[in-house]
Amino acid sequence: MQFLQLVISGIAIGCIYGLIALGFVLIYKATETVSFAQGDLMMLGAFGGLAGMTMLGFPFWAAVIAAIIAMGLFGVLLERIVIRPILGQPAFSIVMLTIGIAYVARGLITMIPNIGTETHTLPVPYKDQIWKLGALVLNVEQMVVIAATAVLCAGLFAMFRYSKLGMAMQASSQNQLAAYYMGIPVKTLNGLVWGLAAAVAAIAGLLLAPITFVHANMGFIGLKAFPAAVVGGFTSLPGAIVGGLIIGIVESLSGFYLPAGFKDTAPYVVVLIMLMVKPNGLFGEKLRKKV
Amino acid sequence: MRFIFKTSYAQDINLAKHGGHVFWYGLLALLLLGAPWLFAEYWLAQMTFILIYAIVGLGLMLLAGFTGQFSLGHAAFLGVGAYTQAVLTNAGVPFPLALLCAAGLSATVGVVVGLPALRVKGIYLGMATLSFGFIVEEVLARWEKVTGGNAGIHIKAPDLFGWKVDSGEGFYYLCLFITVAATLGILNLLRSSTGRAFVAIRDSEISAQSMGIHLARYKTLSFALSAALAGVGGALYAHKLQFISPDQFNIIQSIDLLLMVVIGGLGSVHGAFLGAIFLITMPQVISLTKDYLPAAVGQAPGLQAVVYGVVLVAFVLFEPLGLYGRWLKVRAWFQLFPFYRQGMFKRQKSFQKSDRLK
């Protein structure tokens, strides 16, 4: 029973990793760049929700939706202003650029007097509730994370599968030039992908906030989403979620069954093993460079 | 504008290309040698830190700037070096021997990390080094018998065969000597066939391989050398601070090191030094200007992060060659005065080579 309990809490935190990893993968597939700012976008999303609920006095749902939309717009803006001018430069420059954005985001949040340096709790309606299912004690906050992730994944799946926009995104991520020739506005789509990634990050932040707290350094959890993305294969959307779940469960189980210290390193050990054994990840396409 | 009339091939690989180099670097050497008499104790300590970071920067520059392999876990090598030095010095091993051990152990660890680099590249390598950095940090925190865990460890002053280097000036000269040795070593390496092989790998792995460069050997070598320099830097860092704990070697430190070489200018030895100067002087500049800013901005704890981030973003967007690139432009302006044109250093439009299957 304890095992099951651990697996469930692992799945819940794994969903968060998966959602952040989803942002990495979306951006990587669209623009072949890796965004190190994803964790901090998540942090901004959580702060956005907090601001909506406490300072502006929005009701819960309105605040959540407002935060997600605001972060989506922020992502589009970010792409337009800083990312687009240097697309085509070596991937390393863009990595450094996103690290810079992350620094700025974290710094600006801590600069807000009295708010940025404190830790806050997000006042959600389902705070501290528990469901009892036989001997199993289910934390409602964790259940909400799992349910919301499932719904979001279904929505994204439907979008990529059936909507024109989603198919255009898939096309341009497979071959930008060919997509451009087919009349797909690739540049606009890249902006939208950044917006989508930022919105997903905001959702992850809002889901994570009740479990931990809202604070300026919560973006560092994004560093644990990298292993998730790598395990799933950096080019696969379902892979990101599966990778996140694997990392979450491994972390949760190793925290309990292995000596102290393994909890924080287990994800990285998993990713190192993965890189040695199968560098393309579980669901990654097999890529081979040709001369 | 200076035109060099070359009369022998040896001139092509001379370290000092012309008299101007000899003069200016000689002046710099004099300034550095006379620094203890010219600057106050505090600024001398800052200069020592610049030298230490420059050593680490040289290593990272060799790896990221010249071999094109970027490492997000370089602080781990720094940590391995620092802890080796601390443990050995406290056990009574003389300084040069401990330093060699620190460099050697870091290099060994570097080889181990370099092994995944043979299979993975680009962002995956970044992931591998990042993961490795986390694991080393955790080991340093948990292996309490040797490292003292999160409580940290104190380190005695360096012992140069009976001569205790416990004054600021003495340690400054020690760092200066090691920095000069490391710089000359790197410069010589870069003009040898090994250095050329590194640059070839950076520019195109496939063409390097076709020219007969053994990719695995050179990549591992690059990792080992880079880690060894980071280890030396870490050892000096431990001596300078006299106290080390695992959280000094975390991901933030790794990112700071990367920031240092990117802002300094990737692919130039000068860049390592300029980056180190930036990294050390920036907090000082911020704390000096703090008093002139409105209190809400000046006293905010996040100010430093914002400045670092903005500077980094600005450099990537507008000056990809970093401070050294800016210096090249300024120099060209003076050399060509008044014939400098706006578009001389125009950034070429480039297209990223896709890693995807076409």
Side-chain angles (χ1 to χ4, degrees):
Chain A
M1 202 41 68
Q2 195 169 36
F3 180 77
L4 210 60
Q5 196 85 49
L6 286 170
V7 168
I8 289 173
S9 67
I11 288 176
I13 192 76
C15 284
I16 303 285
Y17 296 153
L19 286 181
I20 305 172
L22 204 63
F24 292 135
V25 173
L26 278 172
I27 289 173
Y28 184 77
K29 273 176 81 89
T31 51
E32 266 194 57
T33 56
V34 179
S35 159
F36 270 72
Q38 210 62 25
D40 291 274
L41 290 179
M42 180 195 84
M43 182 266 294
L44 287 182
F47 266 99
L50 183 76
M53 281 177 216
T54 55
M55 279 149 63
L56 304 177
F58 285 180
F60 175 69
W61 284 109
V64 165
I65 290 168
I68 294 170
I69 291 175
M71 282 309 293
L73 290 177
F74 181 70
V76 174
L77 205 68
L78 203 61
E79 196 271 347
R80 185 66 199 89
I81 294 173
V82 275
I83 307 290
R84 198 177 293 178
I86 67 156
L87 273 191
Q89 300 297 325
F92 182 62
S93 328
I94 304 183
V95 167
M96 289 315 289
L97 186 73
T98 52
I99 289 178
I101 294 170
Y103 261 80
V104 173
R106 209 177 309 137
L108 283 180
I109 284 290
T110 37
M111 275 174 93
I112 303 173
N114 300 331
I115 296 175
T117 46
E118 312 273 308
T119 47
H120 309 269
T121 41
L122 195 66
V124 289
Y126 51 90
K127 183 89 192 141
D128 291 333
Q129 289 175 19
I130 283 171
W131 286 339
K132 281 214 164 89
L133 209 73
L136 215 57
V137 182
L138 297 178
N139 202 328
V140 178
E141 290 150 10
Q142 294 183 343
M143 292 298 113
V144 169
V145 172
I146 297 173
T149 309
V151 170
L152 186 67
C153 288
L156 283 175
F157 176 78
M159 189 193 106
F160 279 107
R161 188 69 190 273
Y162 299 112
S163 82
K164 234 180 188 173
L165 180 68
M167 274 193 273
M169 278 181 183
Q170 278 198 48
S172 81
S173 80
Q174 277 173 12
N175 190 332
Q176 293 202 344
L177 199 60
Y180 186 69
Y181 287 156
M182 293 295 127
I184 293 172
V186 175
K187 279 186 180 173
T188 317
L189 276 187
N190 284 349
L192 286 179
V193 165
W194 268 84
L196 187 62
V200 171
I203 295 173
L206 291 169
L207 288 174
L208 181 67
I211 300 181
T212 59
F213 290 100
V214 181
H215 56 95
N217 283 335
M218 75 190 283
F220 280 108
I221 207 170
L223 292 173
K224 272 192 186 152
F226 276 115
V230 173
V231 167
F234 234 93
T235 47
S236 155
L237 290 176
I241 296 288
V242 174
L245 292 180
I246 292 175
I247 295 291
I249 294 172
V250 165
E251 195 186 36
S252 156
L253 290 181
S254 61
F256 189 78
Y257 290 108
L258 293 176
F262 276 95
K263 182 173 186 288
D264 291 324
T265 45
Y268 302 108
V269 175
V270 170
V271 79
L272 277 183
I273 294 171
M274 200 69 200
L275 284 174
M276 302 261 186
V277 180
K278 206 165 178 289
N280 287 315
L282 289 176
F283 297 90
E285 309 150 42
K286 182 82 190 140
L287 303 174
R288 196 166 277 279
K289 205 165 181 179
K290 291 180 182 169
V291 184
Chain B
M1 194 76 198
R2 188 195 299 269
F3 292 99
I4 302 166
F5 180 57
K6 284 182 182 158
T7 49
S8 85
Y9 288 117
Q11 271 177 295
D12 274 333
I13 56 168
N14 265 353
L15 282 182
K17 296 281 181 238
H18 49 75
H21 278 176
V22 178
F23 175 73
W24 287 112
Y25 286 113
L27 209 62
L28 182 67
L30 276 183
L31 181 74
L32 288 175
L33 281 175
W37 289 279
L38 295 173
F39 301 110
E41 179 91 30
Y42 178 75
W43 292 105
L44 196 69
Q46 298 304 315
M47 281 178 75
T48 314
F49 271 118
I50 290 178
L51 292 176
I52 293 171
Y53 271 91
I55 296 174
V56 184
L58 278 174
L60 192 55
M61 193 61 89
L62 185 73
L63 188 68
F66 290 104
T67 322
Q69 313 287 312
F70 77 100
S71 159
L72 280 169
H74 230 64
F77 303 129
L78 200 70
V80 170
Y83 271 95
T84 314
Q85 184 78 9
V87 169
L88 288 180
T89 306
N90 288 349
V93 178
F95 175 77
L97 212 61
L99 194 67
L100 273 184
C101 286
L105 194 65
S106 286
T108 318
V109 175
V111 170
V112 174
V113 184
L115 290 179
L118 309 178
R119 288 203 62 181
V120 298
K121 56 181 88 163
I123 188 59
Y124 289 100
L125 180 60
M127 288 305 106
T129 48
L130 179 83
S131 313
F132 175 76
F134 276 110
I135 293 172
V136 167
E137 191 198 337
E138 200 65 33
V139 168
L140 292 180
R142 298 283 169 186
W143 196 9
E144 289 178 358
K145 252 190 228 156
V146 177
T147 64
N150 280 321
I153 186 171
H154 282 278
I155 174 169
K156 287 189 276 191
D159 170 24
L160 225 58
F161 298 115
W163 177 49
K164 281 248 182 253
V165 188
D166 43 10
S167 69
E169 288 88 10
F171 191 67
Y172 168 77
Y173 280 121
L174 191 63
C175 287
L176 185 62
F177 172 74
I178 295 173
T179 313
V180 170
T183 314
L184 288 179
I186 290 287
L187 284 174
N188 271 315
L189 182 79
L190 286 176
R191 56 179 191 167
S192 72
S193 61
T194 314
R196 305 281 197 236
F198 287 159
V199 175
I201 290 175
R202 175 191 68 187
D203 289 343
S204 162
E205 286 195 3
I206 293 172
S207 48
Q209 207 170 9
S210 341
M211 300 288 282
I213 292 169
H214 196 298
L215 285 187
R217 184 184 303 152
Y218 281 100
K219 277 190 189 175
T220 322
L221 183 64
S222 178
F223 259 99
L225 287 174
S226 174
L229 280 174
V232 170
L236 294 174
Y237 182 79
H239 274 306
K240 181 71 200 159
L241 285 184
Q242 296 176 338
F243 171 75
I244 45 174
S245 62
D247 58 343
Q248 289 161 351
F249 308 105
N250 59 8
I251 173 79
I252 311 265
Q253 178 78 282
S254 297
I255 289 178
D256 275 351
L257 292 175
L258 263 185
L259 186 138
M260 171 170 88
V261 291
V262 169
I263 288 181
L266 276 178
S268 63
V269 172
H270 291 87
F273 286 88
L274 293 173
I277 293 173
F278 170 83
L279 198 69
I280 301 297
T281 49
M282 202 57 175
Q284 315 287 344
V285 173
I286 291 174
S287 65
L288 283 180
T289 49
K290 236 174 199 170
D291 302 334
Y292 301 101
L293 293 170
V297 179
Q299 299 307 323
L303 182 64
Q304 188 171 339
V306 173
V307 172
Y308 272 33
V310 169
V311 169
L312 184 60
V313 169
F315 266 104
V316 173
L317 282 179
F318 304 115
E319 191 68 88
L321 287 176
L323 286 168
Y324 184 61
R326 176 51 52 185
W327 157 241
L328 283 182
K329 285 174 199 176
V330 171
R331 196 177 66 182
W333 192 87
F334 278 111
Q335 280 181 341
L336 296 177
F337 185 81
F339 300 116
Y340 186 85
R341 282 183 294 112
Q342 199 77 67
M344 281 186 66
F345 284 93
K346 199 167 166 54
R347 195 174 198 175
Q348 277 188 341
K349 188 133 187 100
S350 70
F351 296 93
Q352 192 190 349
K353 282 171 271 172
S354 173
D355 287 335
R356 290 196 195 131
L357 184 66
K358 281 280 148 61

